[in-house]
């Protein structure tokens, strides 16, 4: 489909991936990969011009679908009856994380397309209204308050541009606003994204891993830019237990011929990026990740299960046993089992990760699991170091009881961890650091049983405001539990700053400085 304006401007989607995305009819679609694959334009197009009703004409006969056309009839024409904006009750929603991003990117694409169809922009409502009465909203989702405004909505189409900037649970919540009472307006969620940022893990697991692209054996060489790359093909859709169809369409900068022709400098700029960024933004690789806070994390931190097995390689007689906790009910609650040897090295040898459990059931689960798997009772644990949220009281049977009190009823006596995220982030980072001197072993390692920890640690990003801290928008529950424990046990890793409070301390420091520099001798001789 294309539309020509009075100024003879014609907009057409690029052949290949962009057209493939526009034509896709799956319920949930991720169109993502390298930068500048034409994703925002395609999303704006799809929100308005998705085909909803069509028929086939072969000769003088009309057929409702391709299968009805007689075998051997090759000459037929597709006739479009309706697109989304032809329905008066159609409501679409396009989102970006911040409104300035909408103005600078998404709205530009919408303006040039929607004006050709007579749409009027209503600034007050941030909405395009088409002659039929169909509406497409452009909104931001910058914080929890904005997120709540979409929950309970009623949209036939939701498109999230740069969805990698959204936490995965936000996308799930926004998705609940997709509904319809019209059989021709099938609800659809369409995402565009680049690898990286807070949504990387969610998108990779739910779309890229579930619908893996097809990688041709031979890489392609682009002589103009002196670049080898892998032209990925779209794989098969994934159908979940609720019969919802998911599709991942990989996009590369090479799929955008207009950019390749008109902005060659941008492609060369991508080529000069550091290796990891280049793999992500030029080649559209989802198996690498940049911006990770724990950039010192690697395979060295993971121990094979058979090399550290309770009762074989260690026990409570050879190690001190700890449990670290991060509190959650709707979100994950995490309990990490940690062994501390006599040299001060920690190994997280197991974990419990559950959602939807109240504190009383969490405590019972910890005790039951510890006894069944390791024959450990609360008396065998050196310390139980926990998220300070365990001491927040809540209403239960008209009594104010904190989660820590529920744990105490099960003889698990928690100790509040230090909630200084800046200090704790540094200690945890140093715990993962591999020293240059022997033994080249990090202070904290994990066995393969800590699957959730191994999955989430590499996805934790640095805080955008304070790079000394990690960002809490991601799946940080395991890392938070480890931070509370390591801050208490490994606090010696944190450099202590000398506090100078009064004039005596300042004078003593001055004298100490003079003594080391020979200043006292010079002062005495000059006198």
């Amino acid at each position: 489909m294309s539309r020509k304006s009075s100024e003879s401007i014609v907009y057409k989607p690029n052949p290949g991936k962009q057209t493939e995305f526009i034509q896709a009819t799956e319920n949930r679609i991720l169109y993502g990969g390298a930068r500048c694959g034409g994703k925002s334009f395609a999303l704006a197009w799809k929100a308005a011009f998705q085909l909803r009703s069509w028929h086939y004409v072969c000769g003088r006969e009309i057929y409702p679908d391709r299968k009805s056309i007689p075998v051997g009839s090759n000459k037929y024409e597709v006739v479009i009856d309706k697109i989304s904006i032809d329905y008066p009750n159609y409501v679409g929603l396009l989102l970006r994380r911040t409104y300035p991003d909408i103005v600078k990117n998404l709205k530009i694409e919408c303006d040039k397309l929607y004006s050709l169809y007579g749409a009027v922009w209503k600034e007050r409502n941030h909405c395009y209204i088409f002659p039929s009465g169909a509406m497409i909203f452009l909104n931001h989702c910058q914080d929890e308050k904005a997120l709540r405004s979409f929950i309970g909505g009623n949209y036939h189409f939701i498109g999230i541009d740069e969805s990698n900037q959204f936490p995965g649970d936000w996308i799930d919540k926004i998705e609940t606003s997709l509904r319809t009472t019209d059989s021709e307006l099938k609800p659809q969620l369409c995402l565009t994204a680049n690898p990286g940022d807070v949504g990387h893990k969610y998108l990779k697991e739910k779309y890229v891993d579930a619908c893996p692209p097809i990688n041709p054996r031979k890489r392609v060489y682009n002589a103009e830019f002196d670049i080898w790359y892998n032209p990925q093909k779209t794989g098969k859709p994934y159908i979940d237990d609720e019969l919802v169809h998911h599709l991942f369409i990989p996009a590369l900068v090479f799929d955008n011929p207009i950019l390749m022709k008109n902005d060659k400098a941008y492609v060369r700029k991508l080529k000069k990026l550091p290796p990891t960024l280049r793999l992500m933004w030029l080649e559209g690789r989802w198996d690498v990740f940049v911006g990770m806070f724990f950039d010192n994390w690697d395979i060295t931190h993971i121990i094979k299960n058979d090399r550290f097995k309770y009762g074989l390689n260690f026990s409570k007689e050879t190690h001190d046993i700890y449990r670290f906790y991060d509190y959650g009910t709707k979100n994950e609650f995490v309990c990490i089992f940690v062994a501390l040897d006599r040299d001060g090295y920690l190994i997280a040898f197991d974990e419990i990760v559950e959602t939807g459990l109240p504190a009383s059931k969490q405590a019972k689960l910890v005790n039951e699991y510890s006894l069944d798997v390791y024959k450990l009772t609360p008396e065998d644990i050196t310390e139980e170091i926990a998220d300070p949220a365990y001491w927040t009281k809540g209403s239960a049977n008209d009594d104010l009881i904190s989660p820590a009190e529920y744990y105490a009823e099960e003889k698990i006596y928690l100790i509040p961890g230090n909630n200084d995220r800046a200090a704790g982030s540094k200690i945890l980072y140093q715990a993962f650091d591999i020293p240059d001197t022997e033994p080249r072993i990090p202070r904290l390692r994990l066995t393969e049983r800590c699957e959730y920890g191994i999955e989430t640690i590499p996805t934790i990003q640095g805080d955008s405001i304070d790079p000394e801290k990690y960002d809490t928008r991601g799946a940080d529950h395991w890392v938070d539990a480890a931070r509370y424990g390591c801050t208490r046990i490994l606090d010696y890793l944190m450099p202590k700053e000398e506090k100078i409070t009064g004039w005596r301390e300042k004078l003593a420091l001055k004298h100490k400085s003079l003594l080391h520099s020979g200043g006292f001798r010079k002062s005495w001789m000059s006198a």
Side-chain angles (χ1 to χ4, degrees):
M1 175 194 297
S2 64
R3 173 61 69 97
K4 187 174 181 180
S5 73
S6 57
E7 291 81 15
S8 299
I9 299 175
V10 176
Y11 295 113
K12 292 183 179 180
N14 296 321
K17 298 297 176 55
Q18 198 175 67
T19 296
E20 186 180 334
F21 170 66
I22 287 170
Q23 293 177 346
T25 59
E26 282 73 16
N27 309 102
R28 309 291 182 261
I29 304 169
L30 171 63
Y31 179 42
R35 292 209 164 195
C36 289
K39 299 185 291 294
S40 297
F41 175 87
L43 191 65
W45 185 297
K46 194 170 184 66
F49 311 142
Q50 175 76 41
L51 299 186
R52 299 292 181 174
S53 176
W54 62 92
H55 64 271
Y56 295 82
V57 175
C58 184
R60 295 183 178 181
E61 298 296 327
I62 296 176
Y63 299 94
D65 53 54
R66 178 68 183 86
K67 294 179 181 179
S68 303
I69 300 175
V71 177
S73 301
N74 296 322
K75 294 182 179 181
Y76 62 87
E77 181 183 358
V78 180
V79 178
I80 298 170
D81 298 320
K82 287 184 179 180
I83 58 177
S84 295
I85 57 173
D86 289 329
Y87 294 80
N89 61 326
Y90 174 76
V91 182
L93 173 66
L94 293 176
L95 292 174
R96 281 203 65 154
R97 190 64 192 266
T98 68
Y99 197 73
D101 285 337
I102 290 176
V103 174
K104 291 184 293 184
N105 298 284
L106 195 56
K107 191 173 183 299
I108 294 174
E109 304 292 358
C110 292
D111 282 344
K112 65 187 182 185
L113 291 172
Y114 299 171
S115 61
L116 304 180
Y117 283 73
V120 177
W121 171 250
K122 299 294 184 180
E123 179 64 33
R124 182 176 180 179
N125 298 321
H126 297 162
C127 175
Y128 292 96
I129 300 180
F130 292 83
S132 67
M135 296 184 291
I136 296 179
F137 290 86
L138 266 62
N139 287 110
H140 74 83
C141 190
Q142 188 169 352
D143 48 33
E144 293 276 359
K145 181 180 179 181
L147 174 65
R148 287 193 294 271
S149 69
F150 303 114
I151 299 173
N154 192 354
Y155 304 100
H156 300 102
F157 179 95
I158 297 178
I160 304 179
D161 199 24
E162 296 292 344
S163 60
N164 50 295
Q165 297 176 359
F166 289 67
D169 62 320
W170 287 23
I171 297 176
D172 287 337
K173 291 174 182 177
I174 293 168
E175 183 181 334
T176 62
S177 297
L178 278 172
R179 20 180 106 85
T180 188
T181 57
D182 190 326
S183 60
E184 291 186 4
L185 288 174
K186 185 172 85 171
Q188 197 172 42
L189 173 71
C190 291
L191 313 172
T192 69
N194 301 310
D197 218 313
V198 67
H200 179 100
K201 178 178 179 293
Y202 171 88
L203 297 172
K204 183 176 183 296
E205 289 181 352
K206 194 160 187 176
Y207 291 91
V208 182
D209 293 345
C211 320
I214 300 170
N215 297 316
R217 293 183 179 180
K218 292 185 178 180
R219 288 168 64 83
V220 173
Y221 178 68
N222 185 295
E224 182 178 6
F225 298 103
D226 188 25
I227 293 174
W228 287 91
Y229 68 96
N230 193 337
Q232 298 178 335
K233 296 181 179 179
T234 303
K236 295 182 178 179
Y238 164 71
I239 305 173
D240 66 18
D241 295 338
E242 298 179 358
L243 302 181
V244 176
H245 291 59
H246 297 75
L247 183 67
F248 168 56
I249 301 176
L252 300 180
V253 67
F254 305 102
D255 296 319
N256 190 343
I258 296 176
L259 179 78
M260 294 286 288
K261 179 181 178 181
N262 298 328
D263 195 358
K264 300 180 186 297
Y266 188 81
V267 181
R268 295 188 179 97
K269 182 178 179 181
L270 291 176
K271 183 184 174 183
K272 294 178 181 178
L273 288 171
T276 304
L277 273 178
R278 172 176 165 161
L279 289 172
M280 291 168 57
W281 292 352
L282 182 60
E283 299 188 29
R285 293 271 297 275
W286 287 84
D287 56 342
V288 296
F289 191 83
V290 74
M292 56 190 291
F293 181 81
F294 299 103
D295 54 6
N296 52 357
W297 167 269
D298 65 20
I299 197 171
T300 308
H301 295 89
I302 304 173
I303 301 172
K304 295 285 186 182
N305 287 335
D306 57 0
R307 292 186 56 196
F308 198 76
K309 189 173 183 179
Y310 189 79
L312 181 64
N313 311 102
F314 79 104
S315 68
K316 60 185 179 182
E317 282 72 34
T318 61
H319 289 69
D320 291 329
I321 309 299
Y322 291 80
R323 290 190 293 222
F324 304 160
Y325 299 85
D326 185 59
Y327 184 63
T329 51
K330 293 182 179 179
N331 289 325
E332 289 90 337
F333 126 77
V334 173
C335 173
I336 308 174
F337 293 75
V338 179
L340 174 67
D341 69 16
R342 303 298 178 251
D343 295 320
Y345 290 91
L346 296 168
I347 293 180
F349 62 90
D350 208 343
E351 65 183 13
I352 298 174
V353 182
E354 291 289 343
T355 57
L357 293 181
S360 58
K361 290 187 178 181
Q362 293 175 17
K364 289 180 181 179
L365 174 61
V366 170
N367 275 342
E368 291 171 359
Y369 185 85
S370 301
L371 188 61
D372 292 346
V373 179
Y374 299 106
K375 308 302 179 188
L376 292 172
T377 66
E379 290 76 17
D380 298 318
I381 307 301
T382 303
E383 284 185 346
E384 315 264 11
I385 307 168
D387 179 355
Y390 276 93
W391 283 265
T392 302
K393 293 181 181 290
S395 178
N397 299 323
D398 298 325
D399 294 323
L400 290 177
I401 301 175
S402 70
E405 291 174 278
Y406 280 114
Y407 273 66
E409 291 177 359
E410 299 296 324
K411 297 183 179 180
I412 299 176
Y413 301 106
L414 303 176
I415 298 172
N418 187 333
N419 207 19
D420 184 341
R421 187 158 57 94
S425 296
K426 293 177 182 178
I427 291 175
L428 189 55
Y429 184 89
Q430 291 184 61
F432 284 131
D433 217 19
I434 302 173
D436 295 329
T437 56
E438 296 295 335
R440 300 193 71 249
I441 300 173
R443 286 287 172 185
L444 175 61
R445 289 176 290 166
L446 292 70
T447 69
E448 292 175 324
R449 283 180 289 274
C450 296
E451 295 181 0
Y452 182 73
I454 292 169
E455 284 180 5
T456 57
I457 291 169
T459 70
I460 301 299
Q461 285 198 296
D463 189 279
S464 58
I465 298 175
D466 183 357
E468 295 298 317
K469 299 186 291 188
Y470 60 80
D471 193 339
T472 60
R473 293 179 300 166
D476 61 349
H477 310 292
W478 200 99
V479 168
D480 280 347
R483 170 166 61 87
Y484 299 130
C486 289
T487 302
R488 181 173 176 84
I489 298 173
L490 304 176
D491 63 334
Y492 59 86
L493 290 178
M494 189 68 187
K496 302 295 189 296
E497 295 183 2
E498 190 171 4
K499 295 183 178 180
I500 303 172
T501 56
W503 66 270
R504 290 184 178 86
E505 288 83 0
K506 293 179 181 178
L507 182 61
L509 184 64
K510 180 180 180 182
H511 287 181
K512 183 178 180 181
S513 177
L514 287 170
L515 182 63
H516 283 287
S517 64
F520 274 127
R521 180 176 178 82
K522 293 175 184 177
S523 300
W524 176 75
M525 291 189 68
S526 62

